């Protein structure tokens, strides 16, 4: 199974400041069709997860443009350009390249 | 608008089975894989498996093989997940979710399954 490792596991951030979460996979996430099936999810307290980014850097319709994804191969990053109060929650990276699909441990973003 | 509406919370005894439903609306049910993901209390996300409603083909995580069944009823746009031989380790919120480009764009509200004697 592909292991997804996120850092940091906790990220206290000042409102209006940037935040960055790293995700590393134990194997390359490039699929045979050339796509990289790495996505980012946000889970606010008491809510189901919500898709933010798919295929590394594609923002889902309706997701604020302060969220961006980047990376390739085994190293990926989610950036929030200016953290807002509504961004508090746990963020997960997820790979859909190889069965079984696997998730990172989650990174808790909270306001300082 | 796309919606996935799941059945209500369940309390089961160890060794029993649970069946969770997921009713889809707002899109063509047959065209998108439905995945099931679970989350134990205070823990992260774990993939259980998927079903392709068009054909009924399924794929499960190895750890659930032999214990999980996924079915669908296309006449009512509903997917089902049955998990048998429950233990306390199966206590979790179970989510159904729609697959978009091998990512999850819509989620059900979640169904809490509690296994307790």
């Amino acid at each position: 199974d592909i292991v997804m490792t996120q850092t940091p596991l906790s990220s206290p951030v000042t409102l209006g400041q940037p935040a960055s979460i790293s995700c590393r996979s134990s194997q390359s996430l490039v699929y045979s069709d050339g796509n990289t099936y790495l996505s980012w999810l946000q889970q606010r307290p008491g809510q189901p997860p919500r898709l933010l980014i798919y295929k590394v850097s594609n923002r889902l319709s309706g997701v604020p443009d302060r969220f961006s994804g980047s990376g390739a191969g085994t190293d990926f990053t989610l950036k929030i350009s200016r953290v807002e109060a509504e961004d508090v929650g746990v963020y997960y990276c997820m790979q859909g390249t190889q069965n079984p699909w696997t998730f990172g441990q989650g990174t808790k973003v909270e306001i300082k | 608008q796309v919606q996935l509406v799941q059945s209500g919370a369940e309390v089961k005894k160890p060794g029993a089975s649970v069946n969770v439903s997921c009713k889809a609306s707002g899109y063509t049910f047959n065209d998108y894989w439905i995945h099931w993901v679970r989350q134990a209390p205070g823990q992260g996300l774990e993939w259980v498996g998927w079903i392709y409603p068009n054909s009924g083909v399924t794929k499960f995580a190895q750890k659930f093989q032999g214990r999980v069944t996924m079915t669908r009823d296309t006449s009512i746009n509903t997917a089902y997940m049955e998990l048998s031989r429950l233990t306390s380790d199966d206590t979790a919120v179970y989510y159904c979710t729609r697959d978009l480009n091998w990512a999850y764009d819509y989620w059900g509200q979640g169904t809490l399954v509690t296994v307790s004697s």
Side-chain angles (χ1 to χ4, degrees):
Chain A
D1 297 3
I2 295 179
V3 177
M4 306 296 287
T5 304
Q6 290 182 227
T7 54
L9 297 184
S10 178
S11 180
V13 186
T14 302
L15 285 173
Q17 293 300 302
S20 181
I21 300 170
S22 173
C23 176
R24 179 166 291 178
S25 58
S26 60
Q27 302 173 35
S28 172
L29 297 186
V30 180
Y31 189 59
S32 54
D33 64 2
N35 288 308
T36 300
Y37 295 104
L38 183 283
S39 57
W40 289 95
L41 302 160
Q42 175 198 61
Q43 188 173 31
R44 292 172 173 149
Q47 298 287 319
R50 167 198 179 198
L51 180 64
L52 299 175
I53 304 282
Y54 63 97
K55 287 198 292 185
V56 181
S57 59
N58 294 273
R59 204 166 35 246
L60 195 68
S61 176
V63 173
D65 61 8
R66 63 179 181 274
F67 291 95
S68 64
S70 63
T74 61
D75 287 289
F76 305 93
T77 302
L78 175 71
K79 291 184 179 176
I80 310 174
S81 59
R82 294 173 305 280
V83 171
E84 298 188 6
E86 66 179 18
D87 300 335
V88 165
V90 180
Y91 291 77
Y92 296 93
C93 60
M94 189 202 81
Q95 68 82 20
T97 292
Q98 180 185 110
N99 280 317
W101 295 25
T102 48
F103 298 86
Q105 321 96 298
T107 295
K108 188 173 186 178
V109 171
E110 52 195 356
I111 306 301
K112 279 183 187 174
Chain B
Q1 72 284 18
V2 173
Q3 280 193 302
L4 299 173
V5 179
Q6 298 182 223
S7 49
E10 302 264 13
V11 179
K12 295 292 183 181
K13 293 196 182 304
S17 298
V18 69
N19 198 323
V20 181
S21 68
C22 171
K23 183 170 177 59
S25 61
Y27 72 98
T28 303
F29 179 62
N30 280 4
D31 287 353
Y32 293 81
W33 277 258
I34 291 287
H35 291 238
W36 292 88
V37 173
R38 76 177 187 179
Q39 186 170 37
Q43 302 300 309
L45 300 167
E46 181 177 31
W47 180 71
V48 179
W50 55 250
I51 182 168
Y52 185 47
N54 195 23
S55 62
V57 172
T58 55
K59 179 81 174 178
F60 310 128
Q62 182 70 28
K63 71 177 287 184
F64 300 105
Q65 291 277 1
R67 272 205 315 138
V68 68
T69 304
M70 292 181 186
T71 57
R72 90 290 188 219
D73 185 339
T74 56
S75 69
I76 56 171
N77 293 346
T78 300
Y80 303 91
M81 184 205 66
E82 182 177 25
L83 190 62
S84 63
R85 303 195 300 276
L86 293 169
T87 72
S88 58
D89 289 343
D90 295 315
T91 293
V93 176
Y94 288 76
Y95 294 103
C96 63
T97 178
R98 191 181 81 159
D99 180 336
L100 170 72
N101 281 306
W102 298 1
Y104 300 136
D105 65 343
Y106 286 93
W107 293 67
Q109 81 277 20
T111 297
L112 175 61
V113 175
T114 303
V115 183
S116 174
S117 55

